[in-house]
Amino acid sequence: MESTATSFGKYTLRTPLAATAGTAGYGWDRALLASLEPLGALSCKSITPKPLLGSPSPRICETEAGFINSIGLQNPGIEGFLEKHYLKFKAIGPHRIMSLAAFSLAEYVALVKKVAGLDGIDMIELNLSCPNTEDAKIFASDYGLIAELTKACSLYKQEKMLIIKLSPHISSVSHAACLAEENGADAIALVNTFKGMKIDVATGNSLIAKNIGGYSGKGIKPIVLSMVYETFKNVSIPILASGGVQTATDVLEYLLAGASLVGIGTSQMMDPQLPRKVLRDLKHY
């Protein structure tokens, strides 16, 4: 593994591959399907202050070049995570990223305070693509909220790296990344899913119950690649890139565009052994 070691902020990871939030469960359950050895980092499902049941079914469908999902952040809440998953999560081999999601600035700060003192957690990722019930906005689509939230949470991260996960639905992702860096972020994650839809022409209905969901998969890679490149030119903190990774060539493109760590999401849901195959090809390269 030494030949594929990579730096990500203050950490040296054994490989430049990461399992992205929402696609690898809580790590220990992902390990039931395939070894985690090829991964340098793993991000757990986003955890919210209270338990969420998620969206009604059907909430995932396959489309031309990936998936559309509307899982709705189903999770046991922070107390449920600590009771059921924390001990097993902190025991996994890759560096551990705790993904957090909330619906107000105060809730995000409270979650960060709770997680910052936990041992076995290396990084905190703030998933900003969630509704803000205080003013019906999305955090990651508002420059002011990105800056305010990052600054507030950075005060309580302690020794953890703070990663800000951005949405593609903002006029300038690179500007949003700059604001995050200026206000205390240690790394940027690019990007969350794109809005997408698929309709069954036989019924006229969307294939997911909430009609519109988050699109991920091969089709978004050229778009995300350009966002990574533009962001890399404007920030000095590391970038975790993800979107459409299926091969070692995809990983290499992201690394050459400026990413330090590359996430595998949708494709490893289809093939849990994919990270091992990608790492093998990276070593050959």
Side-chain angles (χ1 to χ4, degrees):
M1 288 296 181
E2 291 178 358
S3 64
T4 56
T6 187
S7 295
F8 190 74
K10 66 180 182 178
Y11 294 110
T12 297
L13 310 186
R14 62 194 185 190
T15 84
L17 305 180
T20 57
T23 66
Y26 304 100
W28 66 267
D29 45 351
R30 170 67 173 77
L32 300 176
L33 299 175
S35 170
L36 302 182
E37 189 68 19
L39 300 172
L42 183 146
S43 182
C44 71
K45 285 173 60 70
S46 293
I47 302 299
T48 54
K50 301 293 183 183
L52 292 178
L53 294 176
S55 302
S57 296
R59 54 188 187 178
I60 188 168
C61 71
E62 194 167 354
T63 188
E64 291 81 357
F67 286 97
I68 294 174
N69 86 83
S70 180
I71 304 301
L73 292 176
Q74 179 182 348
N75 77 95
I78 185 62
E79 297 302 331
F81 171 83
L82 293 175
E83 178 183 346
K84 301 174 184 177
H85 301 290
Y86 167 59
L87 292 179
K88 290 185 282 188
F89 179 59
K90 76 171 187 174
I92 65 173
H95 280 71
R96 294 155 297 277
I97 304 173
M98 186 84 178
S99 179
L100 303 176
F103 305 95
S104 71
L105 189 148
E107 285 184 345
Y108 270 112
V109 169
L111 282 175
V112 170
K113 286 182 177 179
K114 200 168 202 67
V115 171
L118 298 176
D119 64 340
I121 305 297
D122 302 302
M123 300 168 241
I124 297 173
E125 178 184 85
L126 301 186
N127 177 4
L128 303 192
S129 301
C130 299
N132 175 3
T133 55
E134 291 177 343
D135 58 6
K137 291 183 178 180
I138 304 297
F139 280 105
S141 297
D142 186 301
Y143 294 123
L145 289 175
I146 292 170
E148 183 181 8
L149 181 62
T150 304
K151 185 174 184 178
C153 290
S154 69
L155 298 175
Y156 302 100
K157 65 181 181 179
Q158 296 187 29
E159 300 303 313
K160 307 283 191 284
M161 277 186 67
L162 183 66
I163 305 173
I164 304 299
K165 186 173 186 179
L166 297 174
S167 165
H169 297 295
I170 193 167
S171 57
S172 173
V173 168
S174 63
H175 179 55
C178 288
L179 289 173
E181 179 180 23
E182 291 169 6
N183 285 277
D186 298 300
I188 300 295
L190 301 177
V191 288
N192 213 319
T193 54
F194 290 72
K195 288 183 179 179
M197 186 177 189
K198 186 170 178 62
I199 295 174
D200 183 345
V201 297
T203 65
N205 297 322
S206 170
L207 289 179
I208 60 172
K210 293 190 73 174
N211 295 323
I212 294 174
Y215 172 52
S216 61
K218 192 70 174 179
I220 70 173
K221 195 195 84 177
I223 308 171
V224 182
L225 192 65
S226 70
M227 293 177 175
V228 171
Y229 175 69
E230 291 175 349
T231 300
F232 175 72
K233 293 189 297 181
N234 290 283
V235 301
S236 59
I237 54 178
I239 298 170
L240 164 56
S242 63
V245 174
Q246 294 183 350
T247 67
T249 299
D250 296 328
V251 174
L252 289 166
E253 285 191 71
Y254 276 124
L255 294 175
L256 291 169
S260 297
L261 189 60
V262 180
I264 303 178
T266 298
S267 57
Q268 59 113 16
M269 293 177 67
M270 297 186 286
D271 179 5
Q273 299 291 342
L274 185 68
R276 180 171 296 279
K277 299 171 186 175
V278 169
L279 183 62
R280 176 199 63 202
D281 292 343
L282 279 175
K283 287 182 175 181
H284 289 168
Y285 177 86

